[in-house]
Amino acid sequence: MTEDMGDDGRVIAGRYRLLSPLGRGGMGIVWRARDEVLAREVAVKEVRAPAGLDPAEVARMYRRLEREAWAAARVSHRGVVTVYDVVTEDGRPWIVMELVRGLSLADVLEAEGPLTPQRAAHFGEQVLAALRSAHEAGVLHRDVKPGNVLVANDGRVVLSDFGIASLEGSSSITMTGEVVGSPEFLAPERALGRDPGPESDLWSLGVMLYMAVEGVSPFRQDTPLSTLRAVVDEELPPPRRAGPLTPVLEGLLRKDPAERLPAAETARMLRIIGAGGSLHASGGVVSGPDSPTAVEHRRYDAESTAPHGAPTPPMPMPMPAPGPASVPRHAPEPQRRGPAGLVLTLGIVVLLVALAVLGWLLLRDRDGGGGGVSPTDTPTISESASESPSESPSPSESPSDRPHRARPRSRSPCTSAPCATVTAVPARRRPIRRPPSPPRSS
């Protein structure tokens, strides 16, 4: 630590002034420094070779790290820390990088504890996007872990520390007695000394996600050797807090690299979980649109058809049957009830017509029996009036005077029914008047 503090204020390559150490790793120290030329703060990583190596191996390692740092500088992605420069000081390479202001994922886990599956999937999706960009450039990170994932103050998730990265297809730099990278995040093929590939970074991503949601590393043991043995031989402890993230963890943490979940499928599954969706099967591949709603529909369809095969199509029928089936049963009923309703309607109409005709006939009979006096009855009334002894006929009476004189007689009170009927008829048939017959005179 005293040696580190003594380097404060030291200028590297005549340009980068070391201010304070930011962190320490297995391959060196990361400094906060100031670029005296551009007047900006940067991160400078000092690479130190492991102890016990002869000078030839140290020189070869430094050359490899310098070349690999330049390879990492070719990765252009917002989720990858930008490498500005690689310089040599005291025979050692120094890597100048972007200074990301924020916390590492390791600091977040230490402060907040295990993450929710949705939040962990959000971080994992962005880290995987950075890894895929590096893999397309032919660069393997080889040290994916929470300490190398930075959560910037602006919310950006950045994958850092490409200092020990390697070019895909290059020879291994693993030394005897030394392990390049963190043992608990090391892939089994790397622990066995085999050539790594992009699948090795996916394994490390799976271990990081497991640790983020469970709070513990799945293969960590007391010593580095026992940890490597567990990585190679031990089965993955079943996750208990991963929830919908479990299929991703089980798919990434398969011992055989060829059987691991592909990067594209992993990215799609993490995107679904990060959006609040869930996956239908442990370790299974989910196909179709990327929306969580579509995933739920696919889960229903898969559970309905996959286990039962051909006999399953009839099974969902009872569920929607009550709606559609009731329509055909009730649809013919209006047709059967149609004639009955028509007959009933016609019967009511006929009944009403019959009642109307009957009423009309009754009214007509009443008019004919009580007040139906023919015009010929009028002369009879006149004759009786002329023969009455109370009135003497006068030759001077005109035909118009005789009805006028008979009208008061007809309005005289009368106790008999015919009298009342006869007097009522002329009043009702006043418009029809026939002249009386000429008076009889002797």
Side-chain angles (χ1 to χ4, degrees):
M1 183 68 180
T2 304
E3 181 182 355
D4 298 341
M5 297 300 298
D7 289 335
D8 291 353
R10 179 181 177 184
V11 178
I12 304 300
R15 178 176 178 177
Y16 306 104
R17 184 179 299 277
L18 305 182
L19 300 179
S20 61
L22 295 175
R24 179 187 299 271
M27 299 296 295
I29 303 173
V30 179
W31 295 84
R32 183 175 66 90
R34 178 178 177 80
D35 186 349
E36 299 291 350
V37 175
L38 298 179
R40 64 178 178 181
E41 288 193 352
V42 295
V44 176
K45 182 174 183 179
E46 176 188 2
V47 181
R48 296 181 177 180
L53 297 180
D54 57 62
E57 292 178 341
V58 171
R60 182 171 62 89
M61 179 180 178
Y62 286 160
R63 289 194 303 270
R64 286 286 311 279
L65 290 176
E66 183 178 358
R67 179 170 60 89
E68 291 160 5
W70 280 111
R74 299 201 309 261
V75 181
S76 178
H77 191 274
R78 66 183 306 271
V80 175
V81 170
T82 304
V83 177
Y84 294 141
D85 196 4
V86 177
V87 298
T88 302
E89 184 79 12
D90 297 334
R92 294 178 296 167
W94 298 68
I95 303 174
V96 182
M97 303 173 293
E98 170 192 6
L99 178 62
V100 179
R101 301 184 183 278
L103 298 175
S104 68
L105 182 57
D107 296 334
V108 173
L109 294 177
E110 183 179 359
E112 302 180 9
L115 305 179
T116 63
Q118 183 175 356
R119 190 179 180 193
H122 173 70
F123 289 151
E125 179 188 357
Q126 299 189 56
V127 173
L128 179 57
L131 285 175
R132 296 179 69 184
S133 179
H135 294 165
E136 290 176 359
V139 178
L140 301 180
H141 189 278
R142 302 201 309 167
D143 198 18
V144 180
K145 59 182 180 182
N148 289 337
V149 175
L150 305 179
V151 183
N153 293 337
D154 59 359
R156 186 167 56 115
V157 179
V158 182
L159 180 62
S160 67
D161 200 353
F162 276 80
I164 64 171
S166 66
L167 291 173
E168 185 177 3
S170 63
S171 58
S172 174
I173 61 172
T174 303
M175 308 296 180
T176 303
E178 289 289 335
V179 177
V180 179
S182 304
E184 58 188 298
F185 296 94
L186 213 62
E189 60 272 17
R190 290 189 58 200
L192 295 174
R194 300 171 184 170
D195 293 337
E199 297 80 11
S200 302
D201 284 344
L202 295 180
W203 169 280
S204 301
L205 174 65
V207 176
M208 186 191 76
L209 292 176
Y210 186 103
M211 184 175 181
V213 294
E214 297 294 329
V216 294
S217 180
F219 301 107
R220 180 185 296 172
Q221 302 294 329
D222 296 335
T223 63
L225 290 179
S226 59
T227 299
L228 292 177
R229 187 178 297 110
V231 168
V232 174
D233 297 331
E234 297 293 334
E235 294 295 331
L236 176 69
R240 297 183 179 181
R241 299 170 52 92
L245 199 60
T246 300
V248 179
L249 301 181
E250 294 177 348
L252 293 176
L253 297 179
R254 294 172 181 167
K255 305 294 185 181
D256 188 353
E259 296 181 358
R260 282 175 201 151
L261 204 61
E265 184 65 21
T266 303
R268 196 180 61 80
M269 296 170 74
L270 290 176
R271 183 166 60 253
I272 293 173
I273 300 172
S278 59
L279 306 172
H280 80 276
S282 177
V285 177
V286 183
S287 59
D290 296 341
S291 63
T293 304
V295 175
E296 293 296 331
H297 285 302
R298 288 196 300 272
R299 178 175 63 181
Y300 175 81
D301 295 338
E303 292 175 353
S304 301
T305 58
H308 304 286
T312 46
M315 296 300 295
M317 295 302 293
M319 297 178 61
S326 60
V327 175
R329 284 199 303 267
H330 292 290
E333 290 182 2
Q335 298 178 359
R336 292 195 299 267
R337 293 178 182 178
L342 182 59
V343 171
L344 180 60
T345 303
L346 292 177
I348 294 174
V349 172
V350 171
L351 181 60
L352 292 176
V353 171
L355 291 175
V357 172
L358 180 60
W360 180 76
L361 293 176
L362 291 175
L363 291 176
R364 190 184 65 175
D365 293 343
R366 180 181 178 184
D367 291 341
V373 179
S374 62
T376 58
D377 294 337
T378 304
T380 307
I381 298 174
S382 301
E383 291 177 359
S384 62
S386 62
E387 293 177 356
S388 175
S390 62
E391 291 184 0
S392 59
S394 175
S396 62
E397 288 181 350
S398 62
S400 59
D401 293 337
R402 192 171 292 275
H404 178 72
R405 293 171 62 112
R407 187 173 300 159
R409 182 184 178 91
S410 62
R411 291 183 180 179
S412 61
C414 158
T415 58
S416 63
C419 178
T421 305
V422 171
T423 56
V425 172
R428 197 166 50 244
R429 294 192 176 188
R430 184 176 299 172
I432 304 174
R433 293 179 178 178
R434 297 180 65 179
S437 58
R440 298 176 181 178
S441 60
S442 55

